[in-house]
Amino acid sequence: MLRRTEDIIAYAIEKKVPDTLTFVKSTFRPDFNMETLEDKRKQAVSQNTKTNLDLYFQIDDYIKCKTGKVSPTTIGVYGTMKSQLASFQDYRKAPITFDNLDYNFYETFVDYLTHEYVQARRKKLTKGLKLATIGKTIKQLRIFIKDRVRRKIVPPIDLSDFKILDEESDAVYLNWEEINKVFQV
């Protein structure tokens, strides 16, 4: 049985089966007939090509891949990007797919985030996000899409027009009373 397992592994490596371990687990049986190995490989390849191309499934998969490799705050940023895309999908009443990620999508998405997006967890109804926040969402969307292209899940997508927006921030973190207290010390 050990020899049969080694033969299956060697065959999978030689034929460049995408997920060797899964292939071996699904193929090996004590009574396995080695003559049916090519049929099993074709079956595994055809199952592998039926990748779920739903954008939100892929975002969840991306988050799962990144969990433990990046900080929990970054995972939260990915979740925020997903919720903003879902909100935009509801707003435009059309599903977002990898096929419609083009410059028109980018323009309407940025316009939506700038003027129509309703911010959650606010006591007062607030529409629109700041430019730097929109830029962070676009940046994460680009990184996510490039990851999916790199993994050959989706065909290459032209992201050259997906500009990462930014602005100078002039946030004051201390009020004058606090500054005076620091000065007195």
Side-chain angles (χ1 to χ4, degrees), residues 40-66:
K40 282 287 195 180
R41 184 192 68 82
K42 287 178 182 174
Q43 182 183 1
V45 168
S46 70
Q47 286 176 347
N48 195 26
T49 57
K50 294 177 184 170
T51 305
N52 187 343
L53 293 178
D54 177 61
L55 183 77
Y56 301 104
F57 174 83
Q58 290 299 327
I59 292 173
D60 289 338
D61 184 56
Y62 179 69
I63 290 171
K64 197 182 321 173
C65 291
K66 292 294 183 177

Side-chain angles (χ1 to χ4, degrees), residues 83-96:
S83 69
Q84 289 171 345
L85 285 166
S87 176
F88 179 58
Q89 179 173 282
D90 292 342
Y91 172 77
R92 74 183 207 154
K93 296 176 178 65
I96 299 172

Side-chain angles (χ1 to χ4, degrees), residues 2 7 29 51 53 57 118 120-121 147 180:
L2 179 62
D7 289 344
R29 301 280 177 267
T51 305
L53 293 178
F57 174 83
V118 177
R121 299 182 306 235
D147 177 78
N180 194 27

Side-chain angles (χ1 to χ4, degrees), residues 132-149:
T133 305
I134 296 168
K136 181 168 61 172
T137 298
I138 297 299
K139 176 183 175 186
Q140 293 306 324
L141 180 61
R142 286 176 53 149
I143 292 169
F144 159 70
I145 293 168
K146 286 179 182 179
D147 177 78
R148 299 292 103 171
V149 168

Side-chain angles (χ1 to χ4, degrees), residues 112-126:
Y112 167 75
L113 291 176
T114 305
H115 303 292
E116 300 298 326
Y117 180 74
V118 177
Q119 294 183 27
R121 299 182 306 235
R122 295 281 181 144
K123 292 179 183 175
K124 188 175 124 182
L125 178 73
T126 308

Side-chain angles (χ1 to χ4, degrees), residues 18-184:
D19 189 358
T20 305
L21 182 62
T22 304
F23 176 72
V24 172
K25 284 181 177 181
S26 67
T27 303
F28 178 77
R29 301 280 177 267
D31 60 341
F32 179 72
N33 182 358
M34 293 300 283
E35 293 172 6
T36 62
L37 199 53
E38 180 61 23
D39 295 334
K40 282 287 195 180
R41 184 192 68 82
K42 287 178 182 174
Q43 182 183 1
V45 168
S46 70
Q47 286 176 347
N48 195 26
T49 57
K50 294 177 184 170
T51 305
N52 187 343
L53 293 178
D54 177 61
L55 183 77
Y56 301 104
F57 174 83
Q58 290 299 327
I59 292 173
D60 289 338
D61 184 56
Y62 179 69
I63 290 171
K64 197 182 321 173
C65 291
K66 292 294 183 177
T67 302
K69 296 177 184 173
V70 297
S71 73
T73 307
T74 306
I75 298 296
V77 171
Y78 300 149
T80 301
M81 175 192 68
K82 179 183 173 186
S83 69
Q84 289 171 345
L85 285 166
S87 176
F88 179 58
Q89 179 173 282
D90 292 342
Y91 172 77
R92 74 183 207 154
K93 296 176 178 65
I96 299 172
T97 63
F98 285 104
D99 293 335
N100 60 21
L101 294 177
D102 57 9
Y103 184 68
N104 289 330
F105 167 83
Y106 167 78
E107 272 191 327
T108 54
F109 184 52
V110 168
D111 189 51
Y112 167 75
L113 291 176
T114 305
H115 303 292
E116 300 298 326
Y117 180 74
V118 177
Q119 294 183 27
R121 299 182 306 235
R122 295 281 181 144
K123 292 179 183 175
K124 188 175 124 182
L125 178 73
T126 308
K127 282 189 170 187
L129 297 170
K130 293 186 177 179
L131 212 53
T133 305
I134 296 168
K136 181 168 61 172
T137 298
I138 297 299
K139 176 183 175 186
Q140 293 306 324
L141 180 61
R142 286 176 53 149
I143 292 169
F144 159 70
I145 293 168
K146 286 179 182 179
D147 177 78
R148 299 292 103 171
V149 168
R150 208 173 303 121
R151 293 176 187 268
K152 295 183 175 38
I153 294 172
V154 296
I157 298 173
D158 180 22
L159 301 174
S160 59
D161 291 327
F162 283 48
K163 302 294 181 213
I164 300 171
L165 307 171
D166 200 12
E167 63 186 348
E168 271 305 307
S169 64
D170 56 352
V172 177
Y173 294 95
L174 299 175
N175 62 32
W176 285 109
E177 184 180 314
E178 294 166 329
I179 292 171
N180 194 27
K181 286 179 183 177
V182 171
F183 178 73
Q184 295 300 323

